[in-house]
Amino acid sequence: MLAYILRRLLYAIPILIGVNLLTFALFFVVNTPDDMARLQLGAKHVTPDAIERWKVEHGYDKPLLLNVQASGSAQLTDTIFFQHSATMFVFEFGKGDDGRNIGNEIRTRMGPSLAIALPVFVIGLLVNITFALLMVFFRSTYLDLWGVVLCVVLMSISGLFYIIAGQFFIAKLWNLLPISGFAGGIDGLRFIVLPVLIGVVAGIGSGSRWYRTIFLEEIGKDYVRTARAKGLSEVRVLFRHVLKNGMIPILTGAVVVLPLLFMGSLITESFFGIPGLGSYTIDAIQAQDFAVVRAMVFLGSFLYIVGLILTDISYSWADPRVRLQ
Amino acid sequence: MSEIITADVGDVLGYTGEMKRIGAILLKTVLLGISLSLVAGCSDSWNNPYPEATKQANTVYSAFAERPKHLDPARSYSSNEVEFTGQIYEPPLQYHFLKRPYTLIPLTAEQVPQPRYLDAAGKALPGDAPSARIAESVYDISIRPGIRYQPHPAFARDAAGRYRYHALAAADVAAKVQVSDFEHTGTRELVAADYVYQIKRLANPRLSSPIFGLMAEHIVGLKALGESLEKTLKAQPDAVLNLNDYSLAGAEAVDRYTYRIRIKGKYPQFIYWLAMPFFAPVPWEADVFYAQPGMVEKNLTLDWQPVGTGPFYLAENDPNRRMVLKKNPNFHGETYPADGDAADRQAGLLADAGKPLPLVDAAVFSLEKETIPYWSKFLQGYYDSSGISSDSFDQAVQFSAGGDPQLTDGMRKQDIHLITTVSASIWYVGFNMLDPVVGGLGEDRQKLRQALSIAFDYDEFISIFLNGRGISAQGPIPPGLFGYVDGVAGLNPYVYENQAGRIERRSIETARRLLAEAGYPNGRDAKTGAPLVLYFDTMASGPDAKSRLDWMKKQLDKLNVQLVVRGTDYNRFQDKIRKGNAQLFEWGWNADYPDPENFFFLLYGPHKKVTSGGENAANYDNPAFNRLFERMKDMDNGPERQRVIDAMLEIVRRDAPWIFAYYPKSFGLRHGWVHNVKPNLMANNTLKYRRVDPALRDTRRAEWNQPVLWPIALLVGGMVVVIAPAVIAWRRRERTIA
């Protein structure tokens, strides 16, 4: 298995270079270093000299991909792409255009992102699986029917609506929780409850329907009939046997997103004032801060690859017949 | 207790093990709800985002929507940055909090400096000497002794007098997260050399000060210093710059408390720059402290951890969450002003006259990116003041029969107060004067632009899109600045007319006539018969922008002129303006200082965007106007200057390089417990005057935020109603299977 993981990690390097190159190309198609300088320096009293100085100071005074004036390997290395990309492979992200250390920002913001994303993921998974199993238990009854209707209704509503409605009713009208904000430690719990609650509710519709489909497929199989024939209760059949055998597709969807939880949620963090990586990314895009955008895309790609590897590993754990080679 | 109840109920109903567990969960949920109700009885409000211990704190609570990028006084320029640096740093001058028109008064200076003028030979000239003879203006600024910096580790010394933290290794900094993690702090007296040091910092290429280019044109030797520093950094990119090793001819310390600034020629507006944080003192110790290894990696830089002499210091800097300003224990005993007018007295703005500043102990600014939670928290009492977004405008403000804005009943019931003021800014639609269709100074082009100025009914625009938050502009100078003339005497006669003492927009027939005289009768070229098609470049996008752009098209439909909207992003838009590729465009300007020069220079020929990269985006260049501008900018306010301004206004109104759209009006709200609020569009250090009544705030918050518990009971009840039949069905099925 170790060899397999190592091989997969090595495969990741060209993927990450490709992603980096693509991000670089897309970013600089719409932004020139001059545009970035103007945005950072503001709209007033910006002189061409000031723009040049900003570019020199931030390392954007070099050619983008190929330095024809340099010789040898410097033609490739003395470029904006190389200077701003090479260090990322050792997770040195450098400074954002506002001068703040990106690595430090990521470390600081990861916690708040996880504080929301992890409970939403774990509680959401439990609630969705339980709800799906209950629908399967009551399959072909009015409870199943109305459960599916409820799921369709829930998944048809925009995520933004859940946030606005949740903030309006729970925090503003009923005064039960703070409408937004964040705090560290135990004091932070009261800020987390509302976004987590909304995150879980917003995910019930699609999650439960998906899991219901998986379980319905399992429930008709021979081993289920055998389990029932042995006299096991329906609860035991569902939660012990069907759930375990339905794990592979569940793992496919769940484990792959696990590392991405670090990246946070763009909208939720913005509305609830959570100082996480989601809001960091969206701020950087709005401010055309290429250094941060590039770092976050790189991190997202890396975590996605890690997620895929973890998914493969979890297959072998969930189903002993699967072997990683 | 709950276990016993659960067991009893379970036995009575005869549930199976699973059902008992479900029943237990349900009952525990009900009990939790009851417990929460009991807790609610003990606690005031559950939705309070602040710690319980701060209930009675003498603190201002506010929010910021966008995190500041820079807090270094050489770099920070945006209003969201100056909101912080203005409270921490102290330039030599400040604007009087209450007096209008805006008046400069000393802050750390002994007095407002008066420039001495020298000719090319260095001989003194009288104050009324013609500008052409003045080679240099010299400002000698004396600061008050005894002013001390906030406590900071950069000043900390050991028993032997050596700086404790000026020779740190990266390992010493490894465990530090914020400045307060350093055990020792110190302070020292503010000296004139600190002001000189900061002026040199403006030339530091590493800081990319936004005003370096402008100041290099005015301060003697600043440009040369910038070039010298650039040269050094090119040769040694990692060098630590010690600015004390570099001399600057235009700024020098005369003695411990006096420094001198030399300005090329005459630049009367320079005095206003002395009230901005760009000219606040920075101690060299701070630069040395933050330049040490490991500091930047921890975001410990002067750009993020300011060191000032102001009434507040930045105690907590988490721009991702909140920023906290606390009272500077070393602040130098400034008192609340006592010289206001009768209206100020009536408004209670002189109640604190003579009291030591600041009047609050701290200010907490929370990051609030979205308007909905911001507005909700303001209504809940968790923010002391708020702006009014378009979404909540109708909830907050209504207009009386006379057109005056007033608060709605709901707001008044909450003892919320409305503050309105006309901003020192202008929005305009610019014509590219280099464009072959709309540009040029010929009479026909003038008439074309005048016709279009009449057709764009900005009175209607203000009513529809701004909820009345604006005033139709009559020229480039907004109200409150010298040169602005109020009422019919100040109307733009090419667009408006005086009708029985009321300012009325000229009729569309007038516009059609002007258009015909310009060579486009009924919107068609008189020679070719081709329809007149104009192009409007804009960055606006989205549904809101669409309705505005449709409105613009409709305005020109009145003249049978077609308007083609060319939407673009910020970068492309800037690029088009720079290269002169736009035809019509919308732009705005906020005053840097309260002088008409700061608006007229936007139309000054040598500042043309295309040729000089200046701020004249319309590329307007009228020699007569330029001559008057050169005269006006050096004049003192008075009747003579007003006459020159009137002449300049006449020229730009006739030439119409801009459609003068509107002066925006800002509407703000404050709670009844917030005092000493008077809009001051120039001052950025008004937090020190603010007073709050924490007891009243706490009472109101408790009153407005009583938790409503019936939804919890309803939810629990609803769950029981939904789950109970399911449980029964489950039981039946289990029995059937058994």
Side-chain angles (χ1 to χ4, degrees), chain A residues 31 35 38 44-45 53 98 100-101 109 137 171 174 177 180 182 190 235 270 275 279 283 288, chain B residues 48 67 77 212 299 304 320-321 368-370 377 380 571-572 578 590 592 615 708 730 733:
Chain A
N31 288 294
D35 294 334
R38 281 195 188 88
K44 285 181 165 182
H45 310 300
R53 274 202 309 278
D98 60 1
R100 286 175 76 93
N101 186 284
R109 287 168 171 270
F137 182 82
W174 301 331
L177 290 163
S180 67
F182 189 78
R190 62 207 176 99
V235 175
S270 190
S279 55
D283 286 350
Q288 296 180 13
Chain B
N48 187 351
R67 63 184 221 153
Y77 201 0
F212 170 68
N299 287 330
W304 290 103
N320 308 325
R321 188 164 75 87
E368 207 70 77
K369 287 184 182 176
E370 303 295 335
K377 276 176 161 176
Q380 288 171 334
N571 293 333
R572 298 288 81 75
R578 253 192 331 275
N590 276 316
D592 290 307
E615 301 293 353
V708 180
W730 183 322
R733 184 176 287 196

Side-chain angles (χ1 to χ4, degrees), chain A residues 29-32 34-36 38-58 92 95 97-105 107-109 134 136-143 164 167-168 170-184 187 190-191 228 231-236 239 267 269-276 278-280 282-283 287-288, chain B residues 18 45-52 67-70 75 77 202-214 217 223 226 230 233 273 296-299 301 303-304 317-321 367-370 372-377 379-380 383 395 569-572 574-575 578 587 589-592 598 601 609 612-613 615 704-712 722 725-727 729-730 733-734 737:
Chain A
V29 161
V30 289
N31 288 294
T32 64
D34 283 44
D35 294 334
M36 293 162 67
R38 281 195 188 88
L39 198 72
Q40 293 300 319
L41 292 170
K44 285 181 165 182
H45 310 300
V46 182
T47 60
D49 280 353
I51 289 166
E52 284 310 310
R53 274 202 309 278
W54 186 92
K55 281 159 55 184
V56 171
E57 183 59 25
H58 291 81
E92 282 289 332
K95 287 191 292 184
D97 290 341
D98 60 1
R100 286 175 76 93
N101 186 284
I102 297 171
N104 195 34
E105 285 280 310
R107 282 189 291 278
T108 314
R109 287 168 171 270
L134 284 172
V136 170
F137 182 82
F138 291 111
R139 64 194 173 280
S140 307
T141 69
Y142 76 98
L143 286 169
I164 294 171
Q167 285 187 326
F168 179 76
I170 297 173
K172 189 180 175 187
L173 209 58
W174 301 331
N175 303 322
L176 295 172
L177 290 163
I179 198 163
S180 67
F182 189 78
D187 192 39
R190 62 207 176 99
F191 294 106
R228 287 197 187 115
L232 293 181
S233 71
E234 193 67 6
V235 175
R236 212 170 169 80
F239 283 86
I267 298 175
E269 288 183 8
S270 190
F271 266 83
F272 288 99
I274 308 294
S279 55
Y280 188 46
I282 207 88
D283 286 350
Q288 296 180 13
Chain B
E18 283 84 2
S45 45
W46 297 6
N47 60 358
N48 187 351
Y50 308 117
E52 192 76 4
R67 63 184 221 153
K69 283 181 187 166
H70 302 291
R75 309 182 76 172
Y77 201 0
L202 298 178
N204 186 346
R206 281 186 181 149
L207 298 179
S208 299
S209 175
I211 65 158
F212 170 68
L214 181 73
E217 289 173 19
K223 191 172 186 183
E230 209 163 331
L233 288 177
W273 289 100
V296 175
E297 290 73 19
K298 295 275 179 181
N299 287 330
T301 65
D303 209 18
W304 290 103
N317 181 6
D318 183 355
N320 308 325
R321 188 164 75 87
L367 180 63
E368 207 70 77
K369 287 184 182 176
E370 303 295 335
I372 294 173
Y374 186 1
W375 177 245
S376 300
K377 276 176 161 176
L379 293 181
Q380 288 171 334
Y383 290 133
Q395 191 188 345
D569 63 20
Y570 178 82
N571 293 333
R572 298 288 81 75
Q574 294 271 351
D575 195 50
R578 253 192 331 275
W587 205 289
W589 185 260
N590 276 316
D592 290 307
N598 197 228
F601 92 113
K609 184 71 90 180
S612 73
E615 301 293 353
W704 295 341
N705 295 291
Q706 285 298 312
V708 180
L709 295 170
W710 64 260
I712 297 177
V722 171
V727 170
W730 183 322
R733 184 176 287 196
E734 288 287 294
I737 292 166

Side-chain angles (χ1 to χ4, degrees), chain B residues 258-430:
Chain B
T258 307
Y259 65 104
R260 178 171 296 152
I261 300 176
R262 289 166 56 200
I263 298 292
K264 294 174 198 167
K266 189 177 179 183
Y267 181 35
Q269 290 74 31
F270 180 69
I271 198 85
Y272 297 114
W273 289 100
L274 293 178
M276 296 188 202
F278 292 116
F279 286 86
V282 166
W284 64 268
E285 294 93 330
D287 266 349
V288 170
F289 176 78
Y290 288 122
Q292 296 178 97
M295 289 281 187
V296 175
E297 290 73 19
K298 295 275 179 181
N299 287 330
L300 295 174
T301 65
L302 192 64
D303 209 18
W304 290 103
Q305 309 289 340
V307 187
T309 60
F312 297 95
Y313 70 96
L314 191 60
E316 189 180 329
N317 181 6
D318 183 355
N320 308 325
R321 188 164 75 87
R322 67 175 198 166
M323 317 260 290
V324 179
L325 293 173
K326 283 190 178 166
K327 192 193 258 186
N328 174 7
N330 298 336
F331 188 56
H332 52 82
E334 188 185 356
T335 55
Y336 191 93
D339 43 351
D341 59 23
D344 295 331
R345 188 172 299 281
Q346 198 177 0
L349 288 167
L350 290 173
D352 293 307
K355 287 186 182 167
L357 298 175
L359 297 173
V360 294
D361 296 331
V364 175
F365 297 83
S366 305
L367 180 63
E368 207 70 77
K369 287 184 182 176
E370 303 295 335
T371 54
I372 294 173
Y374 186 1
W375 177 245
S376 300
K377 276 176 161 176
F378 169 71
L379 293 181
Q380 288 171 334
Y382 296 127
Y383 290 133
D384 293 333
S385 50
S386 168
I388 310 174
S389 68
S390 302
D391 296 339
S392 44
F393 191 84
D394 291 339
Q395 191 188 345
V397 178
Q398 60 193 11
F399 286 90
S400 66
D404 296 323
Q406 56 190 31
L407 288 169
T408 57
D409 292 341
M411 295 292 115
R412 279 201 293 266
K413 204 181 280 177
Q414 278 193 270
D415 192 23
I416 288 171
H417 299 255
L418 178 67
I419 313 146
T420 64
T421 186
V422 182
S423 304
S425 51
I426 183 171
W427 280 96
Y428 61 88
V429 173

Side-chain angles (χ1 to χ4, degrees), chain A:
Chain A
M1 184 187 282
L2 192 64
Y4 173 82
I5 293 169
L6 276 174
R7 197 167 63 244
R8 287 293 300 270
L9 284 172
L10 285 174
Y11 287 163
I13 293 172
I15 295 171
L16 289 172
I17 292 173
V19 167
N20 210 11
L21 196 62
L22 198 63
T23 314
F24 184 85
L26 288 173
F27 192 90
F28 282 102
V29 161
V30 289
N31 288 294
T32 64
D34 283 44
D35 294 334
M36 293 162 67
R38 281 195 188 88
L39 198 72
Q40 293 300 319
L41 292 170
K44 285 181 165 182
H45 310 300
V46 182
T47 60
D49 280 353
I51 289 166
E52 284 310 310
R53 274 202 309 278
W54 186 92
K55 281 159 55 184
V56 171
E57 183 59 25
H58 291 81
Y60 291 112
D61 57 329
K62 296 176 168 52
L64 290 176
L65 283 165
L66 187 67
N67 189 346
V68 288
Q69 288 176 340
S71 56
S73 62
Q75 285 199 325
L76 287 174
T77 57
D78 196 22
T79 59
I80 294 177
F81 176 72
F82 188 85
Q83 300 278 327
H84 285 76
S85 303
T87 54
M88 284 203 304
F89 286 87
V90 288
F91 296 98
E92 282 289 332
F93 298 115
K95 287 191 292 184
D97 290 341
D98 60 1
R100 286 175 76 93
N101 186 284
I102 297 171
N104 195 34
E105 285 280 310
I106 291 172
R107 282 189 291 278
T108 314
R109 287 168 171 270
M110 222 169 233
S113 279
L114 272 180
I116 303 296
L118 200 60
V120 169
F121 175 75
V122 173
I123 299 171
L125 203 60
L126 290 174
V127 168
N128 293 350
I129 288 175
T130 308
F131 192 44
L133 285 169
L134 284 172
M135 281 192 286
V136 170
F137 182 82
F138 291 111
R139 64 194 173 280
S140 307
T141 69
Y142 76 98
L143 286 169
D144 180 29
L145 175 71
W146 286 109
V148 172
V149 169
L150 182 66
C151 285
V152 172
V153 170
L154 288 173
M155 63 194 282
S156 306
I157 297 170
S158 151
L160 196 60
F161 177 84
Y162 286 108
I163 293 173
I164 294 171
Q167 285 187 326
F168 179 76
F169 285 108
I170 297 173
K172 189 180 175 187
L173 209 58
W174 301 331
N175 303 322
L176 295 172
L177 290 163
I179 198 163
S180 67
F182 189 78
I186 196 78
D187 192 39
L189 275 177
R190 62 207 176 99
F191 294 106
I192 289 171
V193 174
L194 186 56
V196 167
L197 184 68
I198 289 171
V200 169
V201 171
I204 286 177
S206 53
S208 300
R209 267 205 76 197
W210 165 237
Y211 295 137
R212 176 182 171 274
T213 311
I214 293 168
F215 296 141
L216 278 179
E217 203 173 306
E218 291 293 320
I219 201 107
K221 289 187 176 169
D222 289 346
Y223 72 87
V224 176
R225 197 179 309 122
T226 309
R228 287 197 187 115
K230 278 163 66 183
L232 293 181
S233 71
E234 193 67 6
V235 175
R236 212 170 169 80
V237 169
L238 283 175
F239 283 86
R240 286 289 294 274
H241 295 274
V242 173
L243 179 59
K244 198 168 181 183
N245 282 285
M247 281 300 269
I248 289 275
I250 292 174
L251 286 171
T252 307
V255 181
V256 78
V257 299
L258 210 52
L260 290 173
L261 297 179
F262 288 97
M263 302 296 285
S265 159
L266 304 184
I267 298 175
T268 305
E269 288 183 8
S270 190
F271 266 83
F272 288 99
I274 308 294
L277 288 172
S279 55
Y280 188 46
T281 310
I282 207 88
D283 286 350
I285 293 168
Q286 282 167 355
Q288 296 180 13
D289 190 334
F290 172 64
V292 177
V293 172
R294 180 205 58 209
M296 295 310 295
V297 171
F298 180 89
L299 193 65
S301 315
F302 176 77
L303 290 172
Y304 190 69
I305 290 167
V306 170
L308 289 174
I309 296 172
L310 285 177
T311 308
D312 287 353
I313 295 169
S314 65
Y315 283 169
S316 65
W317 169 76
D319 187 346
R321 291 170 299 179
V322 177
R323 287 283 174 270
L324 301 177
Q325 289 181 343

